[in-house]
């Protein structure tokens, strides 16, 4: 009912608040507890993927599901990217209650740590690309080519700037790592 009454997709957090306002417990009482937030997220996504599966069987609209965008994208046939439940890895994960029951507090903390490491790495990648004078669309071939050009130009054995060479080498290490 919540989703059908919307003019545009809703964010997961906003959907949790709406569910809480409508008397569904467990979606707003986790505070800063990452483990309880994971559990609420899992239950919500289980319900959403179950709903999407039901709608697909009935030929109804396609339900797009992500943390930042939950909503209908039109008739199932209108969505070329709509995947069957069998081929949707996330659906398989969230539809298996074993994944909720087997996930420990330590597992959730490890997932969050991994996320933040990758998130920090994105900043490092952007900075490294900037040092090489490249943008986010640079391919690995572009990166290697640009590194060789700059390393040749700034190498201290060729009379180049040692500090610039160190920055270039550090940027390349970040991009390779």
């Amino acid at each position: 009912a919540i989703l059908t009454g919307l003019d545009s997709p809703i964010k997961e957090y906003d959907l949790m608040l709406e569910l809480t306002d409508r008397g569904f417990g467990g979606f707003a009482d986790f505070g800063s507890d990452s483990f309880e937030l994971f559990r609420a997220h899992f239950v919500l996504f289980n319900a959403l993927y179950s709903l999407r599966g039901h709608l697909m069987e009935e030929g109804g609209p396609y339900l797009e599901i992500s943390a930042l965008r939950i909503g209908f994208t039109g008739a199932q046939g209108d969505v070329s990217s709509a995947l069957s439940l069998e081929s949707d890895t996330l659906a398989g994960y969230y539809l298996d209650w074993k994944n909720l029951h087997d996930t420990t507090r330590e597992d959730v903390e490890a997932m969050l740590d991994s996320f933040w490491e990758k998130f920090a790495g994105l900043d490092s990648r952007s900075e490294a690309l900037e040092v090489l004078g490249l943008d986010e669309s640079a391919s690995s071939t572009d990166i290697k080519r640009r590194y060789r050009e700059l390393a040749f130009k700034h190498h201290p054995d060729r009379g180049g700037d040692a500090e610039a060479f160190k920055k270039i080498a550090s940027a390349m290490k970040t991009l390779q790592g």
Side-chain angles (χ1 to χ4, degrees):
I2 294 170
L3 297 176
T4 57
L6 297 174
D7 293 332
S8 60
I10 190 170
K11 295 178 180 142
E12 177 184 13
Y13 178 75
D14 295 331
L15 182 54
M16 287 182 166
L17 292 176
E18 184 66 32
L19 287 165
T20 300
D21 288 347
R22 292 186 183 210
F24 292 92
F27 290 108
D29 300 331
F30 41 78
S32 62
D33 187 336
S34 300
F35 183 63
E36 292 305 318
L37 175 59
F38 167 78
R39 294 176 66 76
H41 162 81
F42 190 99
V43 168
L44 178 60
F45 271 48
N46 174 279
L48 290 169
Y49 280 109
S50 294
L51 175 60
R52 184 169 82 181
H54 175 74
L55 291 169
M56 289 175 78
E57 288 172 7
E58 300 293 318
Y62 182 76
L63 180 59
E64 182 179 354
I65 304 168
S66 75
L68 297 177
R69 187 177 174 86
I70 299 167
F72 298 110
T73 58
Q76 196 177 132
D78 297 339
V79 182
S80 62
S81 64
L83 303 172
S84 70
L85 289 177
E86 293 78 30
S87 67
D88 189 337
T89 306
L90 285 175
Y93 176 81
Y94 287 109
L95 289 172
D96 185 351
W97 285 107
K98 187 176 183 309
N99 291 319
L100 175 64
H101 298 299
D102 290 351
T103 302
T104 66
R105 184 173 294 278
E106 292 75 27
D107 294 333
V108 171
E109 293 303 322
M111 284 189 276
L112 287 170
D113 289 346
S114 174
F115 167 81
W116 287 115
E117 285 174 17
K118 288 177 185 172
F119 183 78
L122 292 176
D123 287 344
S124 298
R125 177 178 165 76
S126 296
E127 292 169 9
L129 287 169
E130 187 176 321
V131 167
L132 297 181
L134 298 169
D135 64 27
E136 292 291 333
S137 66
S139 68
S140 60
T141 304
D142 297 333
I143 292 168
K144 289 175 190 173
R145 182 180 306 123
R146 183 66 177 155
Y147 169 74
R148 283 192 291 268
E149 290 171 1
L150 292 173
F152 183 79
K153 178 180 176 183
H154 294 288
H155 198 285
D157 292 347
R158 300 182 133 291
D161 181 354
E163 287 305 311
F165 181 76
K166 286 179 189 177
K167 284 183 180 180
I168 293 163
S170 177
M172 188 61 180
K173 183 177 177 183
T174 297
L175 293 168
Q176 288 176 329

